[in-house]
Amino acid sequence: MFFFSGPFQIPAAHHPPPQQGFPTMPQPKAPPLPGQDYYNSRPYQPAPPPVSQYHGPPGPSTPSRPPEGAALHNHSMPPPPHTPPLSNSYSQHLQPRPGPYTQPPNQLTPTPSQGLVQTSVAYNSAAMTPPFPKALQSSAPPPGPAANLAMPVGGSYPPQPGHAGTSYPSLPPGYQSMQAPPSTLPTPPLTQHYPPQPQQYHQPPAGPAQLSSALSTLSLQSQTPEALLVLNLLQERNLLPAGPVPAPTPCLPQDLQKLNCSPEVFRSTLTSIPQTQSLLNKAKLPLGLLLHPFKDLSQLPVVTSSTIVRCRSCRTYINPFVSFLDQRRWKCNLCYRVNDVPEEFMYNPVSRSYGEPHKRPEVQNATIEFIAPSEYMLRPPQPAVYLFLLDVSHNAVETGYLDVVCQSLLENLNSLPGDTRTKIGLITFDSMIHFYNLQDGLSQPQMLIVSDLEDIFLPTPDSLLVNLSESKELVRDLLKSLPQMFTKTMETHSALGPALQAAFKLMSPTGGRVTVFQTQLPTLGVGALKSREDPNQRASAKDVQHLSPATDFYKKLALDCSGQQVAVDLFMLSAQYCDLATLGCISRYSAGSVYFYPSYHTEHNPAQTERFQKDLKRYLTRKIGFEAVMRIRCTKGLSIHTFHGNFFVRSTDLLSLPNVNPDAGFAVQMSIEENLVDMQVVSFQAALLYTSSKGERRIRVHTMCLPVVNSMSDIFAGADVQAITCLLASMAVDRSVTASLSDARDAVTNAAIDSLVSYRSSVLTIQQPGLLAPACLCLFPLYILALLKQRAFRTGTSTRLDDRVFAMYQLKYQPLSYLMLMIHPALYRLDDLTDEGALNINDRTIPQPRALQLSVEKLSRDGAFLMDTGSDLYLWVGKSCNPTFLNQVLGVQNYANVPLNQNQLPELDTAESARTRAFIGWIREQRPFYPVLHLIRSVCFFHKRGK
């Protein structure tokens, strides 16, 4: 896993050995991704004690399951002592889940589709309280404040506002005026009783009920799909589409596809799943999932109910891809167990009808959120708790960042997510730790200094984290005076490690978020570091050293924080080497985030200051989830073997996320454990259980359904080139750390070569000369070449070690939509913008210029071009640029007056200026981080090319 010094361990009893890497060409080259033999050579190490676990009340006939919570190293489960060493064969399979499974049928019958109008649904059914099986299928956790995950039925905790009870909230204002869809079945009275024997359930004829027959008419072999059109990459020069590259659509019946999860949230590298692992190996394509589970959504159905319907065996949440055998029974689409429909589920609050469970919002929406009842808690939901750690050494004060942070906090103090229970605290540090007593009733804040770094203690534990609403004035006074308190400091040391230990002790009783601002290498106390970078090796074409952490102190502390529901976010603002490979572990394993601002200085680098201000405002005000866990389930026969992202793996499919934010992405590698020959479709479900900043326990569920195919052409037709590239990027980061950068570069290159060789030998019937690729993979070589030039993997170009490491963090953490721009930027021409094809958003007209190939031949010195790299925008102005653009957009009379180092466009009262600023503003609004604009002038090579 990323930045881990030590062996992988993977249990054969819980999940399969990692999918064997992509087979390579006969010529010598790097081992495939991931290296199977690498895992076999690692000795077994016992797992540390489990951290807090989710637990729910036992229900009747609930199958047993191995307890969750075993601590993992490098996001892999250690094998039990009796497990023999892993081999390169795929003969080891998951042990079948206990429980009364039924065998997969030859045809799966999902539910009919019906458009859902409301996005918030409430019911009144408190009288029905069936016994609950275990919440999220886990064993009981050890007692302690860290396990706010499930409370036994009959617990004494009072219900939280908005939770299930005798009354429920009404529809939100935006949906109160909408009418529910009319019922297509008779509406019996609520007192109607059904006979005990199951009745034949007649589903509407129109819809995905006849899935098997529908799929049989959708064979990709009936005609050559557009995705399989053969392109010769040596002849085609214009491969990019005019707009964003669309995600491929799975080959499913139309009604079923309408219910599928949005690719912005849940995406597979292959939208057609091979029947067998051998078929997958033959295709030389990776199988994996990319998730953006907590993404900000414009419409999210929210259900409040005391009964959350789940499979009694595998605990899958009911979803649009289950099948109803009759009105009283439904079959799970993951394990195929037949379950009873609870009485409450018979009532549809949307249509206000009874006896139509297939029209419930849970069965009509692939993404849905539940307000969880008390069975999903072990303690009352924690409050929103925010602790800020600020470096106040001489180097930190000189950068001027302290003024920016304090001013941003003052401006956004009322916008911090939370409620009346929200708590806040501040700690500053240099060679000593400074605490601040903010207890209500004091006339001014009190500074308490601890100089003993060997044995950190909290001087007044009860007054360091205070209620924000009660002590807001004291907090404001502290933020106003803090920048002046250290203006004359000459202390150059930094005791980051002891400060983090103090923060951990302070936050452990409640959990929450720790925000660290650091400007240099830690030099005192535990966790002190020394510079490992050799500036003379930055441009070396040889392997890069020191990509792994120098000490495991920060990783161990992060795991302790994770166990107490504490996440640590790190803001690095440094002009010198700060060993991000080591310091980043504190965020990497506690589900935090890393922000990096190289060469930061408020006066000398205004572009970085602007970026920092915008990012910090977004960070302070964005949505946040506390004490979260995420479980990914898949149809029997598929298995998960590697995760990518910032988290701690608690068990084979459960991620511990002390904090979850809407900007975090995750990736999962998968393998096929058992043949899927009897299945028409498979399903994947991600369930995120979290506590909102308002104190509600919520469950967000995403479900995706994909077809199963048995031909190579169908596999290639369903390849998602962007998802494949992003998954390979995460795998290559792991290879860079565990092996070498050159191995990683060779492996991703071989992945592209091998997949195209497989396509040519297995799919093409007529061999032709040239570099041939299907239309769906025509951008694959381009993306791989772009990835090799990305800061994380490039060689021969001067790259600071911290810059490279931060780029690797982004590849592992960013969602696909943001990550692809960092790999392959977008290029637009701006000097000829028009309103043709423009978007109209909130009475604004947003021009939509065509995306250009990233080639120098697309540039001309009579134009102006914008390159969007995700984190930066480069406006390139040609020497002979149209004078109208120079005057109407840049406000200058000629090219010689184009300013250098300008980061803002002037606000001119012209149509051209309005269009350009609208387009750049729209780009910035599409992402959570702030891309800085750089205005640059053309260079001399155009004269050499005769442009």
Side-chain angles (χ1 to χ4, degrees):
M1 207 61 198
F2 192 25
F3 301 144
F4 172 67
S5 54
F8 272 92
Q9 295 93 18
I10 296 183
H14 293 287
H15 55 81
Q19 177 184 351
Q20 191 155 352
F22 311 118
T24 56
M25 301 284 290
Q27 64 271 21
K29 55 187 177 180
L33 283 168
Q36 179 72 28
D37 294 334
Y38 175 78
Y39 303 119
N40 299 335
S41 62
R42 286 346 193 223
Y44 162 72
Q45 294 181 356
V51 294
S52 61
Q53 305 158 21
Y54 277 53
H55 173 62
S61 304
T62 302
S64 61
R65 184 171 177 170
E68 297 166 356
L72 297 181
H73 293 288
N74 199 24
H75 295 189
S76 303
M77 285 288 293
H82 63 274
T83 303
L86 296 177
S87 65
N88 282 330
S89 69
Y90 288 89
S91 60
Q92 298 178 358
H93 301 303
L94 282 174
Q95 298 297 326
R97 300 175 187 262
Y101 293 114
T102 59
Q103 293 298 322
N106 290 329
Q107 56 182 358
L108 178 64
T109 309
T111 60
S113 63
Q114 184 82 5
L116 179 67
V117 176
Q118 282 93 338
T119 61
S120 179
V121 184
Y123 331 58
N124 190 342
S125 54
M128 306 175 187
T129 311
F132 270 76
K134 294 184 179 180
L136 286 182
Q137 276 291 85
S138 61
S139 57
N148 175 14
L149 308 176
M151 184 178 75
V153 174
S156 58
Y157 296 127
Q160 298 296 318
H163 283 192
T166 56
S167 62
Y168 300 89
S170 60
L171 294 176
Y175 297 91
Q176 287 176 352
S177 61
M178 296 185 180
Q179 297 181 355
S183 172
T184 58
L185 296 177
T187 306
L190 294 179
T191 56
Q192 177 176 350
H193 297 284
Y194 288 87
Q197 297 297 327
Q199 294 180 319
Q200 181 65 33
Y201 183 49
H202 301 285
Q203 299 193 24
Q210 315 300 328
L211 179 59
S212 297
S213 59
L215 283 177
S216 64
T217 64
L218 287 174
S219 172
L220 295 179
Q221 302 298 332
S222 58
Q223 58 181 356
T224 302
E226 183 179 351
L228 288 181
L229 294 179
V230 182
L231 298 176
N232 188 341
L233 302 185
L234 300 181
Q235 298 176 355
E236 298 288 340
R237 301 194 60 82
N238 297 302
L239 296 173
L240 285 178
V245 178
T249 302
C251 186
L252 292 170
Q254 184 177 4
D255 291 336
L256 193 61
Q257 180 55 37
K258 289 180 180 179
L259 298 175
N260 224 345
C261 193
S262 167
E264 295 181 353
V265 175
F266 211 167
R267 201 155 165 176
S268 174
T269 58
L270 301 178
T271 57
S272 297
I273 306 300
Q275 279 189 348
T276 65
Q277 180 67 41
S278 61
L279 197 60
L280 176 63
N281 292 342
K282 186 178 180 181
K284 306 294 192 301
L285 293 171
L287 176 60
L289 306 174
L290 284 89
L291 296 87
H292 193 176
F294 206 52
K295 176 182 172 62
D296 288 324
L297 300 174
S298 57
Q299 289 191 359
L300 175 66
V302 178
V303 172
T304 303
S305 175
S306 60
T307 300
I308 298 179
V309 180
R310 303 175 64 182
C311 175
R312 301 284 291 178
S313 179
C314 68
R315 308 300 293 138
T316 294
Y317 294 84
I318 197 167
N319 59 80
F321 310 108
V322 304
S323 55
F324 283 87
L325 305 183
D326 52 46
Q327 286 179 316
R328 294 294 181 174
R329 296 182 303 160
W330 63 277
K331 181 178 290 187
C332 176
N333 56 318
L334 266 65
C335 72
Y336 303 105
R337 170 169 175 156
V338 176
N339 298 269
D340 295 331
V341 176
E343 186 70 25
E344 176 188 358
F345 204 75
M346 299 296 293
Y347 175 71
N348 183 4
V350 177
S351 62
R352 299 181 181 180
S353 60
Y354 190 84
E356 298 177 330
H358 64 282
K359 292 187 178 181
R360 289 269 302 202
E362 297 94 323
V363 193
Q364 291 295 319
N365 295 274
T367 292
I368 195 166
E369 185 156 285
F370 301 93
I371 297 180
S374 59
E375 286 81 8
Y376 291 79
M377 309 175 200
L378 279 177
R379 63 172 182 174
Q382 74 167 65
V385 182
Y386 306 107
L387 178 64
F388 298 90
L389 261 67
L390 298 102
D391 180 4
V392 292
S393 63
H394 177 74
N395 181 71
V397 175
E398 281 296 306
T399 65
Y401 96 92
L402 203 56
D403 298 86
V404 176
V405 171
C406 292
Q407 184 61 35
S408 184
L409 278 172
L410 282 170
E411 294 174 355
N412 297 286
L413 206 56
N414 294 328
S415 301
L416 290 175
D419 53 15
T420 57
R421 303 181 302 157
T422 301
K423 292 185 177 182
I424 193 172
L426 287 94
I427 296 176
T428 58
F429 61 95
D430 42 30
S431 62
M432 297 178 288
I433 314 299
H434 317 121
F435 299 91
Y436 296 91
N437 184 349
L438 300 170
Q439 191 169 17
D440 185 30
L442 295 176
S443 59
Q444 62 181 9
Q446 294 180 347
M447 176 188 285
L448 307 171
I449 300 177
V450 174
S451 59
D452 185 3
L453 303 181
E454 300 299 324
D455 186 17
I456 289 295
F457 65 95
L458 304 178
T460 55
D462 298 333
S463 59
L464 303 180
L465 278 177
V466 296
N467 185 284
L468 178 58
S469 59
E470 296 174 357
S471 303
K472 185 173 293 185
E473 290 307 315
L474 283 175
V475 174
R476 289 186 181 275
D477 292 343
L478 177 59
L479 292 174
K480 291 177 182 178
S481 60
L482 200 57
Q484 287 72 41
M485 293 170 59
F486 300 96
T487 53
K488 297 182 180 180
T489 182
M490 299 304 295
E491 183 60 64
T492 59
H493 290 291
S494 172
L496 175 62
L500 286 171
Q501 289 180 324
F504 171 68
K505 289 186 177 183
L506 186 57
M507 298 286 283
S508 290
T510 58
R513 184 179 75 187
V514 178
T515 306
V516 180
F517 298 91
Q518 177 73 4
T519 63
Q520 61 178 324
L521 274 173
T523 56
L524 287 180
V526 63
L529 300 172
K530 296 182 180 180
S531 178
R532 299 187 293 166
E533 184 186 36
D534 181 2
N536 296 324
Q537 299 297 319
R538 290 177 180 175
S540 173
K542 299 180 181 179
D543 285 331
V544 178
Q545 303 298 319
H546 309 305
L547 294 176
S548 56
T551 174
D552 62 354
F553 165 76
Y554 294 97
K555 177 182 177 181
K556 289 182 177 179
L557 183 58
L559 297 182
D560 292 338
C561 289
S562 179
Q564 299 300 318
Q565 305 299 339
V566 177
V568 182
D569 295 327
L570 179 63
F571 284 79
M572 289 299 310
L573 309 103
S574 175
Q576 305 296 328
Y577 172 72
C578 57
D579 201 349
L580 200 58
T582 301
L583 297 184
C585 291
I586 190 65
S587 301
R588 176 74 178 84
Y589 295 98
S590 66
S593 305
V594 177
Y595 296 82
F596 183 50
Y597 305 90
S599 304
Y600 179 87
H601 196 281
T602 303
E603 296 180 0
H604 301 159
N605 196 341
Q608 285 286 30
T609 302
E610 182 187 20
R611 187 203 305 270
F612 179 50
Q613 289 174 328
K614 301 290 187 180
D615 288 353
L616 187 57
K617 180 179 180 179
R618 160 75 178 176
Y619 172 81
L620 294 174
T621 58
R622 71 186 178 187
K623 179 179 58 179
I624 185 174
F626 296 98
E627 49 187 350
V629 291
M630 183 171 68
R631 168 162 273 134
I632 302 174
R633 298 178 173 88
C634 50
T635 296
K636 184 181 179 184
L638 298 171
S639 63
I640 299 168
H641 63 71
T642 307
F643 293 91
H644 302 277
N646 288 3
F647 46 76
F648 172 67
V649 177
R650 187 174 297 174
S651 67
T652 56
D653 58 354
L654 185 69
L655 306 183
S656 175
L657 305 170
N659 286 179
V660 61
N661 68 76
D663 306 331
F666 304 87
V668 179
Q669 289 174 243
M670 306 200 64
S671 59
I672 303 173
E673 264 296 287
E674 302 174 7
N675 292 345
L676 308 175
V677 292
D678 295 329
M679 303 180 190
Q680 296 285 347
V681 294
V682 292
S683 297
F684 308 87
Q685 187 176 88
L688 178 68
L689 174 62
Y690 70 97
T691 298
S692 72
S693 58
K694 301 296 184 182
E696 289 181 328
R697 201 73 175 135
R698 291 185 169 224
I699 310 168
R700 185 173 296 190
V701 180
H702 309 284
T703 310
M704 177 174 61
C705 180
L706 297 176
V708 176
V709 298
N710 60 1
S711 70
M712 293 288 289
S713 58
D714 288 351
I715 295 173
F716 277 95
D720 186 335
V721 65
Q722 291 192 331
I724 290 172
T725 303
C726 290
L727 182 61
L728 286 176
S730 292
M731 297 165 67
V733 169
D734 289 351
R735 175 63 65 84
S736 299
V737 178
T738 59
S740 67
L741 189 65
S742 59
D743 272 3
R745 289 173 55 87
D746 290 343
V748 294
T749 303
N750 295 333
I753 295 173
D754 293 345
S755 62
L756 295 183
V757 169
S758 175
Y759 165 76
R760 183 164 189 152
S761 61
S762 303
V763 178
L764 288 182
T765 55
I766 302 177
Q767 296 300 320
Q768 308 172 29
L771 179 57
L772 305 181
C776 60
L777 289 179
C778 67
L779 297 176
F780 195 20
L782 176 65
Y783 286 159
I784 294 300
L785 289 173
L787 186 62
L788 296 177
K789 293 182 179 181
Q790 215 267 352
R791 190 170 293 168
F793 302 114
R794 70 186 184 188
T795 57
T797 303
S798 181
T799 306
R800 300 197 317 170
L801 185 56
D802 283 336
D803 291 341
R804 188 184 300 275
V805 170
F806 180 63
M808 289 183 172
Y809 271 116
Q810 289 182 305
L811 292 176
K812 298 277 284 186
Y813 177 75
Q814 291 288 351
L816 180 144
S817 57
Y818 313 140
L819 185 56
M820 281 309 302
L821 280 174
M822 298 178 183
I823 295 175
H824 184 268
L827 181 66
Y828 309 97
R829 183 162 186 166
L830 295 190
D831 61 301
D832 58 356
L833 286 180
T834 66
D835 292 339
E836 182 179 355
L839 300 176
N840 291 311
I841 303 177
N842 298 329
D843 297 329
R844 292 187 305 157
T845 301
I846 313 296
Q848 297 294 295
R850 178 185 176 87
L852 304 176
Q853 309 290 319
L854 285 180
S855 173
V856 69
E857 67 181 6
K858 298 299 180 182
L859 298 178
S860 60
R861 63 180 186 174
D862 61 350
F865 299 84
L866 182 74
M867 187 167 71
D868 179 8
T869 67
S871 57
D872 292 277
L873 299 172
Y874 296 93
L875 178 54
W876 185 92
V877 181
K879 187 174 182 179
S880 302
C881 183
N882 187 345
T884 302
F885 179 84
L886 297 177
N887 182 262
Q888 303 294 326
V889 176
L890 301 182
V892 297
Q893 297 301 318
N894 52 56
Y895 176 81
N897 293 331
V898 173
L900 297 175
N901 301 321
Q902 180 173 321
N903 302 112
Q904 295 286 351
L905 291 179
E907 295 186 12
L908 305 178
D909 189 16
T910 63
E912 291 81 359
S913 175
R915 289 193 192 100
T916 305
R917 288 185 288 108
F919 179 62
I920 293 177
W922 175 75
I923 287 177
R924 286 171 167 164
E925 293 170 1
Q926 303 305 304
R927 60 204 61 167
F929 43 84
Y930 185 78
V932 174
L933 178 67
H934 305 274
L935 185 62
I936 56 178
R937 295 191 291 192
S938 61
V939 291
C940 61
F941 66 80
F942 281 97
H943 298 285
K944 297 178 182 179
R945 292 176 56 89
K947 292 284 186 178

